[in-house]
Amino acid sequence: MFPAALLRAGANMAQDAARFEPSPPPIDDALTIEQREAQRIGDLAASFCLFGLRIALEEDAWRDAAEPYLAAADTPPMPANDPAHVAPATAFAFPKLGRRGVHVSPRLPMQALRVIDWAAVLLIAHVAALWGVGAGLFALSLGEAATFVLAAGALKAGLWLTETYRATPATMRPEGAVGGLALGVIAGIIIANLIAPDARASAALATTLPIAAMLLAGIHAAIAVWSNAAHKKGMFAENVVIIGATEAAKRIIARAKRSGDMRVVAIVDDRLSRVPSKLSAAPVGGNIDDLMAWDGLPHVDRIIITVTQKAETRVRAMIERLRPIPNRVDLLLDYQNQGVQGRRIERLNGTAVACVSGRPHNYRRAMIKRASDLIIGGAMLIGFAIPMLIIAIAVRLDSKGPILYRQQRHGFNNRVFTVFKFRTMRVRPEEKTLVQVQAADPRITRLGRFLRKTSLDELPQLLNVMLGDMSLVGPRPHAVGMKTAERDLQHIVAEYAHRHRVKPGLTGWAQINGSRGPVQTPAELRRRVKLDLEYVSNASLWLDLQILLRTAPSLLGDKEATR
């Protein structure tokens, strides 16, 4: 492993950390303002990519000076996860991997049970207080309330002592909580007899706790049955590609079969003469170029490099080659030391991995973001229902053609989805190629100019938000096959695809900072990507709310943008 890089990932190795000091990238005082800006972009990207992103700029005069921060880009990289630019078929046939159903964190069932159990403790204490002393829990003094909470909390303690919460979706059993709840009932009754204010309160607790325990046992059993069924359907499993048909890969596959937390769909290895054609049921074949040209790559959740870190040059080359894709890339740590830990280090089926590209999974953040999308987006959809109906009628009367315009765009992990907009242009069947909007574009209708100026044409994308293809806030989705200055976007900015690490948004950080509408020049594209990466690096609920509040004033006050 590369000690400085691992420390940048937040890892702490008890036996080695003191010997290594991360060295920050050098700063050359002779760099121009643009070169320093490139350095800032690299530093920004490093917050969510272990080895940093390097934005490729065109100016050859200072490319060498900015080399630590910029992609060389002498040969354009293979378009990443782009069905419109899939390379010719290779000899190795990857498995068909279409869009799957819902994917849920394997920690979700147990997290849900913890929340339910805490809520049950408070409810039990409240009911016992009403029955025992004739007043609700919050009407009692602190000492009296503590008595009921401690007795009811014994149920939670029993579950914890019997390690009920350590079960996974694969190991959960319907009867798994019975022993812990029984222990909790006994402990709770003892506590009630010792510290209850009177015999009536003690009797209320002694009666309430067994009944509540039976109800909780039923809830635990129901969630266990659901979790087992969902586990068998693969709801908790990530789609994983392994690079390197190594002994470590065999161990990962064996553990994955037992836990069900991942589904290894393929193994890539650039030294096929030394490896078998299959490891377990996973096919082995192809190289990284084949992987990046695979049309199923947008549906891969994680790529794990299992090649030993002793082959440092080879591993570095792999990471550099995988840099242009938005998928998460992990490096398997071959340390057998439990002291390897840090904010970018994760335990995966009992093995430590370091996230070397992409952000570590934050299921809590994803759940909060999805909940806010549904709540705020649903309210907006209801609030704008009548205006959208009026606009739909006006579009129909203004010119011939459909009310809604549908277009294929890139979303999360470069997955292609259909975006909805009110039609603002005249229908021209003879136009076969995608052409970005120009100033005073004759294709735009009279009503369309108003809708574009006010961004009202984007309102149907609230449907995309509700469907889960988009979020309220995120980088704006770009059309499949879109070009700037007759060049593919990822050829201008080598790590362009990293803006797809989050769902695209109805609005975003770039839009409220004046970068909206088509990007006509490489400089405009680089600024858009820089702003999008700033959002990806700093995304949070509070930033989303700030962007939403600033969206209307920013867009309505922008008279210069061409849309």
Side-chain angles (χ1 to χ4, degrees), residues 445-513:
T445 64
R446 290 175 300 173
L447 177 63
R449 294 194 185 282
F450 170 75
L451 295 178
R452 284 175 169 269
K453 184 177 180 181
T454 57
S455 294
L456 291 174
D457 60 321
E458 312 283 1
L459 285 178
Q461 287 170 35
L462 288 169
L463 297 174
N464 291 113
V465 173
M466 303 306 291
L467 291 171
D469 293 321
M470 292 178 62
S471 178
L472 289 174
V473 178
R476 287 293 297 157
H478 290 167
V480 174
M482 191 177 92
K483 296 178 183 289
T484 291
E486 302 301 321
R487 295 172 62 189
D488 289 333
L489 305 185
Q490 64 271 20
H491 292 175
I492 299 173
V493 180
E495 277 74 22
Y496 167 82
H498 286 279
R499 67 196 298 274
H500 298 138
R501 292 194 186 280
V502 296
K503 285 184 181 180
L506 194 63
T507 184
W509 183 247
Q511 284 61 52
I512 67 170
N513 282 283

Side-chain angles (χ1 to χ4, degrees), residues 200-517:
R200 182 185 175 97
S202 178
L205 282 167
T207 305
T208 305
L209 287 175
I211 297 173
M214 288 187 288
L215 293 175
L216 274 179
I219 294 173
H220 276 250
I223 292 181
V225 170
W226 174 84
S227 297
N228 293 159
H231 174 263
K232 291 178 181 177
K233 291 182 178 180
M235 185 178 291
F236 301 108
E238 292 183 325
N239 288 333
V240 172
V241 170
I242 292 177
I243 297 182
T246 62
E247 290 299 320
K250 292 181 182 178
R251 291 194 297 270
I252 287 178
I253 294 172
R255 290 170 179 167
K257 283 186 175 181
R258 292 195 298 268
S259 69
D261 290 347
M262 68 171 66
R263 183 188 304 107
V264 179
V265 296
I267 300 172
V268 173
D269 199 300
D270 55 358
R271 301 181 180 184
L272 297 178
S273 61
R274 307 180 184 182
V275 298
S277 60
K278 278 190 176 183
L279 280 184
S280 187
V284 179
N287 53 34
I288 292 180
D289 287 338
D290 299 330
L291 173 65
M292 296 178 72
W294 178 32
D295 59 2
L297 189 55
H299 307 293
V300 172
D301 299 297
R302 189 193 300 250
I303 298 171
I304 303 176
I305 300 174
T306 63
V307 177
T308 175
Q309 295 103 58
K310 295 177 182 177
E312 181 172 335
T313 302
R314 185 182 174 202
V315 173
R316 280 188 180 276
M318 290 178 177
I319 294 171
E320 287 294 326
R321 192 67 191 88
L322 293 167
R323 190 188 302 279
I325 65 175
N327 308 68
R328 171 172 172 165
V329 180
D330 284 344
L331 179 62
L332 182 71
L333 304 182
D334 53 13
Y335 293 102
Q336 301 301 318
N337 190 320
Q338 294 297 316
V340 179
Q341 57 186 341
R343 63 185 179 88
R344 301 186 68 84
I345 304 302
E346 180 180 324
R347 289 282 161 187
L348 186 66
N349 282 326
T351 304
V353 294
C355 178
V356 297
S357 185
R359 305 188 73 170
H361 291 304
N362 188 333
Y363 291 105
R364 181 179 302 176
R365 159 68 182 153
M367 289 176 62
I368 292 174
K369 188 171 179 65
R370 183 59 183 151
S372 64
D373 284 342
L374 291 174
I375 295 170
I376 300 175
M380 291 177 65
L381 193 59
I382 294 172
F384 283 108
I386 294 178
M388 288 173 67
L389 178 60
I390 295 173
I391 292 172
I393 296 172
V395 170
R396 172 66 75 182
L397 297 176
D398 183 59
S399 61
K400 294 181 179 179
I403 293 173
L404 292 179
Y405 173 64
R406 296 172 174 83
Q407 187 180 56
Q408 297 291 294
R409 297 198 179 185
H410 289 299
F412 177 69
N413 258 17
N414 246 350
R415 295 170 188 166
V416 176
F417 72 100
T418 301
V419 74
F420 303 113
K421 297 177 63 175
F422 283 121
R423 182 177 58 83
T424 58
M425 291 186 176
R426 295 177 178 86
V427 178
R428 294 188 177 183
E430 68 278 6
E431 290 186 356
K432 302 298 183 183
T433 59
L434 177 66
V435 180
Q436 292 197 67
V437 177
Q438 309 289 329
D441 198 312
R443 298 173 296 172
I444 301 177
T445 64
R446 290 175 300 173
L447 177 63
R449 294 194 185 282
F450 170 75
L451 295 178
R452 284 175 169 269
K453 184 177 180 181
T454 57
S455 294
L456 291 174
D457 60 321
E458 312 283 1
L459 285 178
Q461 287 170 35
L462 288 169
L463 297 174
N464 291 113
V465 173
M466 303 306 291
L467 291 171
D469 293 321
M470 292 178 62
S471 178
L472 289 174
V473 178
R476 287 293 297 157
H478 290 167
V480 174
M482 191 177 92
K483 296 178 183 289
T484 291
E486 302 301 321
R487 295 172 62 189
D488 289 333
L489 305 185
Q490 64 271 20
H491 292 175
I492 299 173
V493 180
E495 277 74 22
Y496 167 82
H498 286 279
R499 67 196 298 274
H500 298 138
R501 292 194 186 280
V502 296
K503 285 184 181 180
L506 194 63
T507 184
W509 183 247
Q511 284 61 52
I512 67 170
N513 282 283
S515 180
R516 58 190 291 256

Side-chain angles (χ1 to χ4, degrees), residues 77-156:
M78 179 72 68
N81 294 7
D82 192 345
H85 300 86
V86 174
T90 62
F92 177 69
F94 282 93
K96 294 293 183 183
L97 195 62
R99 183 168 184 171
R100 62 170 180 198
V102 178
H103 174 241
V104 178
S105 166
R107 295 192 293 268
L108 180 63
M110 205 52 67
Q111 288 173 342
L113 281 176
R114 286 190 177 98
V115 173
I116 291 171
D117 291 344
W118 277 120
V121 165
L122 293 177
L123 181 61
I124 294 165
H126 183 71
V127 171
L130 285 174
W131 189 359
V133 297
L137 187 65
F138 301 103
L140 301 177
S141 67
L142 185 61
E144 292 176 325
T147 299
F148 290 96
V149 172
L150 284 173
L155 295 177
K156 180 83 174 174

